[in-house]
Amino acid sequence: GNSVTQMEGPVTLSEEAFLTINCTYTATGYPSLFWYVQYPGEGLQLLLKATKADDKGSNKGFEATYRKETTSFHLEKGSVQVSDSAVYFCALSDRTAASKLTFGKGITLSVRP
Amino acid sequence: DTAVSQTPKYLVTQMGNDKSIKCEQNLGHDTMYWYKQDSKKFLKIMFSYNNKELIINETVPNRFSPKSPDKAHLNLHINSLELGDSAVYFCASNDGGAYNEQFFGPGTRLTVL
């Protein structure tokens, strides 16, 4: 079956530090890939997405590139802010009729001023 | 305008009770989902409906019964609530586009005492 593996957390960074959150996946076929963010006490928001190899998703300074050869979709940001503190989820959608999302375990990011 | 809405936002109840959570989307999507987020933030698919028809049922106890009166609504009824049912329940809908992007509701935090 499909699976998503995220690096273990939590992660604590100082403001303006560089962020990388690793994500790898296992899937049959050619999934769509997503990063979702959950701010404290809130629901899930789509952060960025990619649908084919070498696609780069980007939003709010975050980027991730769909790497088919390494089955990865690592999230990066050049300079994090305190407001980026949240839980980040990597997910894939299998493009079947149901197209359910399979999520990684999520990683908590805390950014210190 | 709220795209995917859920009611109630919080639900506190006693073990053994029966409760319902309602979900509505005004996006015109055909496919809707219920996800469960446990205390460790792990997200897992429970059910999916496509145009009022059940298409995913992920080994959820039969105390959980989804109902879709029309394609804009997907409700979740839970009988004989147990302590382990305490979680945040998210409703989502799928745009069926190239990315199969899912749009999430704000979540319902269920606490069983």
Side-chain angles (χ1 to χ4, degrees):
Chain A
N2 298 335
S3 67
V4 176
T5 303
Q6 290 183 234
M7 60 185 273
E8 293 289 327
V11 172
T12 302
L13 295 173
S14 296
E15 205 165 23
E16 299 184 3
F18 184 84
L19 169 71
T20 299
I21 301 177
N22 289 344
C23 171
T24 57
Y25 67 90
T26 302
T28 52
Y30 217 145
S32 292
L33 301 174
F34 305 88
W35 277 99
Y36 281 86
V37 59
Q38 186 175 27
Y39 296 103
E42 296 187 12
L44 288 163
Q45 298 178 26
L46 179 67
L47 182 59
L48 51 83
K49 60 193 178 188
T51 189
K52 61 183 187 296
D54 300 324
D55 253 4
K56 178 185 280 189
S58 60
N59 186 23
K60 299 182 181 180
F62 291 89
E63 292 183 340
T65 300
Y66 192 143
R67 300 285 187 204
K68 193 172 188 320
E69 66 276 12
T70 54
T71 61
S72 64
F73 193 53
H74 304 322
L75 183 68
E76 295 183 338
K77 186 174 185 182
S79 175
V80 293
Q81 306 300 311
V82 172
S83 57
D84 294 327
S85 298
V87 182
Y88 292 82
F89 295 92
C90 185
L92 69 82
S93 172
D94 61 9
R95 299 177 191 259
T96 61
S99 295
K100 66 180 183 181
L101 282 172
T102 300
F103 286 91
K105 289 187 177 179
I107 187 168
T108 299
L109 170 66
S110 298
V111 181
R112 298 184 299 237
Chain B
D1 276 349
T2 304
V4 182
S5 59
Q6 293 179 229
T7 53
K9 190 167 172 60
Y10 300 98
L11 186 51
V12 181
T13 188
Q14 299 288 330
M15 252 189 343
N17 284 350
D18 303 339
K19 290 293 178 186
S20 292
I21 306 171
K22 295 187 176 182
C23 177
E24 176 181 1
Q25 53 97 2
N26 62 6
L27 298 166
H29 295 166
D30 286 340
T31 307
M32 296 182 72
Y33 308 81
W34 280 109
Y35 290 86
K36 179 179 180 181
Q37 185 175 44
D38 64 21
S39 58
K40 295 185 179 179
K41 301 282 189 185
F42 187 62
L43 281 150
K44 190 168 163 50
I45 183 78
M46 298 175 69
F47 300 104
S48 176
Y49 271 72
N50 181 275
N51 207 2
K52 302 192 296 177
E53 205 171 310
L54 179 68
I55 54 174
I56 294 177
N57 182 342
E58 289 276 319
T59 60
V60 178
N62 59 15
R63 297 182 296 103
F64 290 78
S65 52
K67 283 197 172 42
S68 181
D70 56 60
K71 74 174 193 176
H73 296 84
L74 180 60
N75 304 322
L76 183 64
H77 187 76
I78 316 171
N79 289 326
S80 304
L81 278 155
E82 300 178 356
L83 294 176
D85 299 332
S86 296
V88 181
Y89 293 85
F90 287 102
C91 177
S93 69
N94 184 331
D95 70 354
Y99 289 91
N100 277 314
E101 181 177 340
Q102 293 191 21
F103 296 79
F104 282 80
T108 296
R109 181 174 293 277
L110 171 65
T111 304
V112 182
L113 303 174

